[in-house]
PDB file of all heavy atoms in Angstrom:
ATOM      1  N   GLU Y  24     -11.117  20.395   6.900  1.00 91.00           N
ATOM      2  CA  GLU Y  24     -10.247  20.477   8.161  1.00 91.00           C
ATOM      3  C   GLU Y  24      -9.184  19.351   7.926  1.00 91.00           C
ATOM      4  O   GLU Y  24      -8.112  19.382   8.820  1.00 91.00           O
ATOM      5  CB  GLU Y  24     -11.046  20.155   9.286  1.00 91.00           C
ATOM      6  CG  GLU Y  24     -12.104  21.184   9.615  1.00 91.00           C
ATOM      7  CD  GLU Y  24     -12.862  20.896  10.854  1.00 91.00           C
ATOM      8  OE1 GLU Y  24     -12.257  20.327  11.916  1.00 91.00           O
ATOM      9  OE2 GLU Y  24     -13.979  21.388  10.994  1.00 91.00           O
ATOM     10  N   ILE Y  25      -9.112  18.444   7.040  1.00 93.00           N
ATOM     11  CA  ILE Y  25      -8.201  17.367   6.950  1.00 93.00           C
ATOM     12  C   ILE Y  25      -6.980  17.933   6.222  1.00 93.00           C
ATOM     13  O   ILE Y  25      -6.930  17.930   5.018  1.00 93.00           O
ATOM     14  CB  ILE Y  25      -8.793  16.085   6.296  1.00 93.00           C
ATOM     15  CG1 ILE Y  25      -9.923  15.651   7.207  1.00 93.00           C
ATOM     16  CG2 ILE Y  25      -7.729  15.113   6.146  1.00 93.00           C
ATOM     17  CD1 ILE Y  25     -10.556  14.345   6.675  1.00 93.00           C
ATOM     18  N   GLN Y  26      -6.020  18.337   6.999  1.00 93.00           N
ATOM     19  CA  GLN Y  26      -4.790  18.850   6.430  1.00 93.00           C
ATOM     20  C   GLN Y  26      -3.634  18.062   7.151  1.00 93.00           C
ATOM     21  O   GLN Y  26      -3.653  17.857   8.466  1.00 93.00           O
ATOM     22  CB  GLN Y  26      -4.578  20.390   6.627  1.00 93.00           C
ATOM     23  CG  GLN Y  26      -5.714  21.131   6.002  1.00 93.00           C
ATOM     24  CD  GLN Y  26      -5.717  21.015   4.442  1.00 93.00           C
ATOM     25  OE1 GLN Y  26      -4.657  20.973   3.772  1.00 93.00           O
ATOM     26  NE2 GLN Y  26      -6.900  21.115   3.869  1.00 93.00           N
ATOM     27  N   PRO Y  27      -2.460  17.900   6.540  1.00 95.00           N
ATOM     28  CA  PRO Y  27      -1.426  17.076   7.209  1.00 95.00           C
ATOM     29  C   PRO Y  27      -0.943  17.858   8.522  1.00 95.00           C
ATOM     30  O   PRO Y  27      -0.703  17.144   9.497  1.00 95.00           O
ATOM     31  CB  PRO Y  27      -0.255  17.121   6.193  1.00 95.00           C
ATOM     32  CG  PRO Y  27      -1.042  17.244   4.942  1.00 95.00           C
ATOM     33  CD  PRO Y  27      -2.232  18.032   5.044  1.00 95.00           C
ATOM     34  N   GLU Y  28      -0.906  19.201   8.579  1.00 95.00           N
ATOM     35  CA  GLU Y  28      -0.514  19.855   9.728  1.00 95.00           C
ATOM     36  C   GLU Y  28      -1.599  20.017  10.809  1.00 95.00           C
ATOM     37  O   GLU Y  28      -1.367  20.629  11.952  1.00 95.00           O
ATOM     38  CB  GLU Y  28       0.042  21.223   9.353  1.00 95.00           C
ATOM     39  CG  GLU Y  28      -0.858  22.320   8.776  1.00 95.00           C
ATOM     40  CD  GLU Y  28      -1.303  21.984   7.283  1.00 95.00           C
ATOM     41  OE1 GLU Y  28      -0.782  21.229   6.591  1.00 95.00           O
ATOM     42  OE2 GLU Y  28      -2.201  22.823   6.734  1.00 95.00           O
ATOM     43  N   ALA Y  29      -2.822  19.632  10.547  1.00 93.00           N
ATOM     44  CA  ALA Y  29      -3.833  19.721  11.465  1.00 93.00           C
ATOM     45  C   ALA Y  29      -3.565  19.037  12.727  1.00 93.00           C
ATOM     46  O   ALA Y  29      -3.096  17.806  12.679  1.00 93.00           O
ATOM     47  CB  ALA Y  29      -5.227  19.377  10.931  1.00 93.00           C
ATOM     48  N   HIS Y  30      -3.957  19.550  13.907  1.00 91.00           N
ATOM     49  CA  HIS Y  30      -3.686  18.795  15.215  1.00 91.00           C
ATOM     50  C   HIS Y  30      -4.766  17.778  15.338  1.00 91.00           C
ATOM     51  O   HIS Y  30      -6.059  18.000  15.106  1.00 91.00           O
ATOM     52  CB  HIS Y  30      -3.847  19.871  16.385  1.00 91.00           C
ATOM     53  CG  HIS Y  30      -3.457  19.226  17.607  1.00 91.00           C
ATOM     54  ND1 HIS Y  30      -4.242  18.547  18.352  1.00 91.00           N
ATOM     55  CD2 HIS Y  30      -2.295  19.336  18.261  1.00 91.00           C
ATOM     56  CE1 HIS Y  30      -3.623  18.183  19.536  1.00 91.00           C
ATOM     57  NE2 HIS Y  30      -2.360  18.614  19.346  1.00 91.00           N
ATOM     58  N   LEU Y  31      -4.349  16.477  15.481  1.00 87.00           N
ATOM     59  CA  LEU Y  31      -5.161  15.335  15.513  1.00 87.00           C
ATOM     60  C   LEU Y  31      -6.266  15.445  16.489  1.00 87.00           C
ATOM     61  O   LEU Y  31      -7.543  15.273  16.107  1.00 87.00           O
ATOM     62  CB  LEU Y  31      -4.281  14.136  15.769  1.00 87.00           C
ATOM     63  CG  LEU Y  31      -5.070  12.775  15.689  1.00 87.00           C
ATOM     64  CD1 LEU Y  31      -5.451  12.463  14.282  1.00 87.00           C
ATOM     65  CD2 LEU Y  31      -4.196  11.587  16.250  1.00 87.00           C
ATOM     66  N   THR Y  34      -8.689  18.658  15.719  1.00 77.00           N
ATOM     67  CA  THR Y  34      -9.353  18.622  14.434  1.00 77.00           C
ATOM     68  C   THR Y  34     -10.409  17.571  14.607  1.00 77.00           C
ATOM     69  O   THR Y  34     -11.484  17.791  14.026  1.00 77.00           O
ATOM     70  CB  THR Y  34      -8.383  18.284  13.317  1.00 77.00           C
ATOM     71  OG1 THR Y  34      -7.331  19.349  13.247  1.00 77.00           O
ATOM     72  CG2 THR Y  34      -9.079  18.149  12.057  1.00 77.00           C
ATOM     73  N   ASN Y  66       0.821  14.089  17.104  1.00 93.00           N
ATOM     74  CA  ASN Y  66       0.042  15.390  17.410  1.00 93.00           C
ATOM     75  C   ASN Y  66      -0.599  15.858  16.173  1.00 93.00           C
ATOM     76  O   ASN Y  66      -1.771  16.394  16.365  1.00 93.00           O
ATOM     77  CB  ASN Y  66       1.075  16.558  17.810  1.00 93.00           C
ATOM     78  CG  ASN Y  66       1.826  16.123  19.068  1.00 93.00           C
ATOM     79  OD1 ASN Y  66       1.233  15.684  20.111  1.00 93.00           O
ATOM     80  ND2 ASN Y  66       3.075  16.156  19.132  1.00 93.00           N
ATOM     81  N   THR Y  67      -0.055  15.584  15.057  1.00 95.00           N
ATOM     82  CA  THR Y  67      -0.829  15.998  13.729  1.00 95.00           C
ATOM     83  C   THR Y  67      -1.243  14.875  12.921  1.00 95.00           C
ATOM     84  O   THR Y  67      -0.914  13.646  13.158  1.00 95.00           O
ATOM     85  CB  THR Y  67       0.148  16.841  12.923  1.00 95.00           C
ATOM     86  OG1 THR Y  67       1.298  16.031  12.464  1.00 95.00           O
ATOM     87  CG2 THR Y  67       0.831  18.079  13.717  1.00 95.00           C
ATOM     88  N   LEU Y  68      -2.136  15.164  11.924  1.00 95.00           N
ATOM     89  CA  LEU Y  68      -2.561  14.109  11.011  1.00 95.00           C
ATOM     90  C   LEU Y  68      -1.389  13.546  10.308  1.00 95.00           C
ATOM     91  O   LEU Y  68      -1.407  12.289  10.067  1.00 95.00           O
ATOM     92  CB  LEU Y  68      -3.556  14.667  10.057  1.00 95.00           C
ATOM     93  CG  LEU Y  68      -4.915  14.894  10.616  1.00 95.00           C
ATOM     94  CD1 LEU Y  68      -5.820  15.560   9.600  1.00 95.00           C
ATOM     95  CD2 LEU Y  68      -5.568  13.540  11.032  1.00 95.00           C
TER      96      LEU Y  68
END
Side-chain angles (χ1 to χ4, degrees):
E24 293 182 28
I25 298 178
Q26 302 296 325
E28 67 280 355
H30 191 276
L31 184 67
T34 301
N66 297 309
T67 66
L68 283 174

